[in-house]
mmCIF file of all heavy atoms in Angstrom:
data_model
loop_
_atom_site.group_PDB
_atom_site.id
_atom_site.type_symbol
_atom_site.label_atom_id
_atom_site.label_comp_id
_atom_site.label_asym_id
_atom_site.label_seq_id
_atom_site.Cartn_x
_atom_site.Cartn_y
_atom_site.Cartn_z
ATOM 1 N N ILE A 321 28.600 11.475 16.126
ATOM 2 C CA ILE A 321 27.507 10.712 16.745
ATOM 3 C C ILE A 321 27.185 9.504 15.866
ATOM 4 O O ILE A 321 27.063 8.384 16.345
ATOM 5 C CB ILE A 321 26.232 11.587 16.909
ATOM 6 C CG1 ILE A 321 26.491 12.746 17.869
ATOM 7 C CG2 ILE A 321 25.058 10.734 17.406
ATOM 8 C CD1 ILE A 321 25.328 13.754 17.954
ATOM 9 N N ASP A 322 27.060 9.749 14.559
ATOM 10 C CA ASP A 322 26.778 8.673 13.607
ATOM 11 C C ASP A 322 27.638 8.922 12.365
ATOM 12 O O ASP A 322 27.458 9.931 11.682
ATOM 13 C CB ASP A 322 25.285 8.679 13.239
ATOM 14 C CG ASP A 322 24.889 7.494 12.375
ATOM 15 O OD1 ASP A 322 25.751 6.959 11.641
ATOM 16 O OD2 ASP A 322 23.704 7.102 12.435
ATOM 17 N N CYS A 325 25.887 9.851 9.150
ATOM 18 C CA CYS A 325 24.942 10.974 9.144
ATOM 19 C C CYS A 325 25.590 12.206 8.519
ATOM 20 O O CYS A 325 26.760 12.495 8.761
ATOM 21 C CB CYS A 325 24.489 11.273 10.569
ATOM 22 S SG CYS A 325 23.292 12.613 10.665
ATOM 23 N N ASP A 326 24.805 12.922 7.704
ATOM 24 C CA ASP A 326 25.318 14.107 7.013
ATOM 25 C C ASP A 326 24.856 15.412 7.674
ATOM 26 O O ASP A 326 24.946 16.472 7.070
ATOM 27 C CB ASP A 326 24.870 14.085 5.544
ATOM 28 C CG ASP A 326 23.342 14.061 5.400
ATOM 29 O OD1 ASP A 326 22.636 14.065 6.437
ATOM 30 O OD2 ASP A 326 22.851 14.046 4.251
ATOM 31 N N CYS A 327 24.368 15.344 8.918
ATOM 32 C CA CYS A 327 23.829 16.558 9.556
ATOM 33 C C CYS A 327 24.950 17.508 9.995
ATOM 34 O O CYS A 327 26.119 17.125 10.057
ATOM 35 C CB CYS A 327 22.927 16.193 10.736
ATOM 36 S SG CYS A 327 23.788 15.892 12.295
ATOM 37 N N TYR A 328 24.570 18.737 10.327
ATOM 38 C CA TYR A 328 25.527 19.752 10.765
ATOM 39 C C TYR A 328 26.313 19.275 11.984
ATOM 40 O O TYR A 328 27.540 19.447 12.076
ATOM 41 C CB TYR A 328 24.766 21.048 11.093
ATOM 42 C CG TYR A 328 25.640 22.124 11.685
ATOM 43 C CD1 TYR A 328 26.474 22.883 10.867
ATOM 44 C CD2 TYR A 328 25.651 22.360 13.056
ATOM 45 C CE1 TYR A 328 27.299 23.859 11.404
ATOM 46 C CE2 TYR A 328 26.468 23.340 13.604
ATOM 47 C CZ TYR A 328 27.290 24.085 12.780
ATOM 48 O OH TYR A 328 28.108 25.035 13.320
ATOM 49 N N THR A 329 25.628 18.648 12.928
ATOM 50 C CA THR A 329 26.275 18.197 14.157
ATOM 51 C C THR A 329 27.320 17.118 13.870
ATOM 52 O O THR A 329 28.462 17.211 14.328
ATOM 53 C CB THR A 329 25.200 17.666 15.135
ATOM 54 O OG1 THR A 329 24.219 18.688 15.325
ATOM 55 C CG2 THR A 329 25.805 17.283 16.469
ATOM 56 N N CYS A 330 26.938 16.127 13.079
ATOM 57 C CA CYS A 330 27.859 15.018 12.804
ATOM 58 C C CYS A 330 29.033 15.426 11.915
ATOM 59 O O CYS A 330 30.089 14.819 11.970
ATOM 60 C CB CYS A 330 27.104 13.845 12.187
ATOM 61 S SG CYS A 330 26.019 13.047 13.394
ATOM 62 N N THR A 331 28.864 16.471 11.091
ATOM 63 C CA THR A 331 29.966 16.899 10.223
ATOM 64 C C THR A 331 30.864 17.933 10.903
ATOM 65 O O THR A 331 31.894 18.300 10.351
ATOM 66 C CB THR A 331 29.434 17.477 8.889
ATOM 67 O OG1 THR A 331 28.431 18.464 9.164
ATOM 68 C CG2 THR A 331 28.807 16.385 8.028
ATOM 69 N N LEU A 352 22.395 20.931 19.234
ATOM 70 C CA LEU A 352 23.150 20.000 18.381
ATOM 71 C C LEU A 352 22.526 18.606 18.357
ATOM 72 O O LEU A 352 22.459 17.973 17.306
ATOM 73 C CB LEU A 352 24.620 19.931 18.851
ATOM 74 C CG LEU A 352 25.421 21.231 18.671
ATOM 75 C CD1 LEU A 352 26.815 21.077 19.272
ATOM 76 C CD2 LEU A 352 25.519 21.629 17.201
ATOM 77 N N ILE A 355 19.251 18.719 16.252
ATOM 78 C CA ILE A 355 19.547 18.750 14.810
ATOM 79 C C ILE A 355 19.859 17.346 14.318
ATOM 80 O O ILE A 355 19.343 16.901 13.294
ATOM 81 C CB ILE A 355 20.727 19.717 14.508
ATOM 82 C CG1 ILE A 355 20.251 21.171 14.656
ATOM 83 C CG2 ILE A 355 21.320 19.459 13.119
ATOM 84 C CD1 ILE A 355 21.349 22.214 14.536
ATOM 85 N N HIS A 356 20.677 16.618 15.064
ATOM 86 C CA HIS A 356 21.025 15.257 14.630
ATOM 87 C C HIS A 356 19.793 14.335 14.593
ATOM 88 O O HIS A 356 19.549 13.661 13.592
ATOM 89 C CB HIS A 356 22.107 14.634 15.518
ATOM 90 C CG HIS A 356 22.231 13.169 15.268
ATOM 91 N ND1 HIS A 356 22.839 12.663 14.139
ATOM 92 C CD2 HIS A 356 21.711 12.106 15.931
ATOM 93 C CE1 HIS A 356 22.713 11.342 14.130
ATOM 94 N NE2 HIS A 356 22.035 10.973 15.209
ATOM 95 N N ASN A 357 19.031 14.310 15.688
ATOM 96 C CA ASN A 357 17.889 13.380 15.748
ATOM 97 C C ASN A 357 16.834 13.685 14.701
ATOM 98 O O ASN A 357 16.276 12.782 14.078
ATOM 99 C CB ASN A 357 17.240 13.405 17.137
ATOM 100 C CG ASN A 357 17.932 12.455 18.104
ATOM 101 O OD1 ASN A 357 18.882 11.771 17.745
ATOM 102 N ND2 ASN A 357 17.446 12.419 19.330
ATOM 103 N N ARG A 359 17.324 15.196 11.854
ATOM 104 C CA ARG A 359 17.894 14.820 10.551
ATOM 105 C C ARG A 359 17.809 13.306 10.344
ATOM 106 O O ARG A 359 17.480 12.830 9.255
ATOM 107 C CB ARG A 359 19.358 15.279 10.449
ATOM 108 C CG ARG A 359 20.078 14.832 9.171
ATOM 109 C CD ARG A 359 19.422 15.395 7.919
ATOM 110 N NE ARG A 359 19.982 14.863 6.677
ATOM 111 C CZ ARG A 359 19.297 14.748 5.548
ATOM 112 N NH1 ARG A 359 18.028 15.135 5.492
ATOM 113 N NH2 ARG A 359 19.856 14.284 4.465
ATOM 114 N N PHE A 360 18.101 12.560 11.404
ATOM 115 C CA PHE A 360 18.094 11.098 11.302
ATOM 116 C C PHE A 360 16.715 10.600 10.862
ATOM 117 O O PHE A 360 16.601 9.766 9.956
ATOM 118 C CB PHE A 360 18.485 10.484 12.656
ATOM 119 C CG PHE A 360 18.663 8.987 12.617
ATOM 120 C CD1 PHE A 360 19.884 8.423 12.269
ATOM 121 C CD2 PHE A 360 17.602 8.142 12.926
ATOM 122 C CE1 PHE A 360 20.057 7.043 12.228
ATOM 123 C CE2 PHE A 360 17.767 6.755 12.881
ATOM 124 C CZ PHE A 360 18.988 6.206 12.533
HETATM 125 ZN ZN1 ZN B 401 23.904 13.657 12.599
#
Side-chain angles (χ1 to χ4, degrees):
I321 296 173
D322 186 333
C325 181
D326 59 0
C327 84
Y328 174 78
T329 305
C330 290
T331 51
L352 294 175
I355 287 174
H356 167 75
N357 274 359
R359 175 62 187 152
F360 187 87

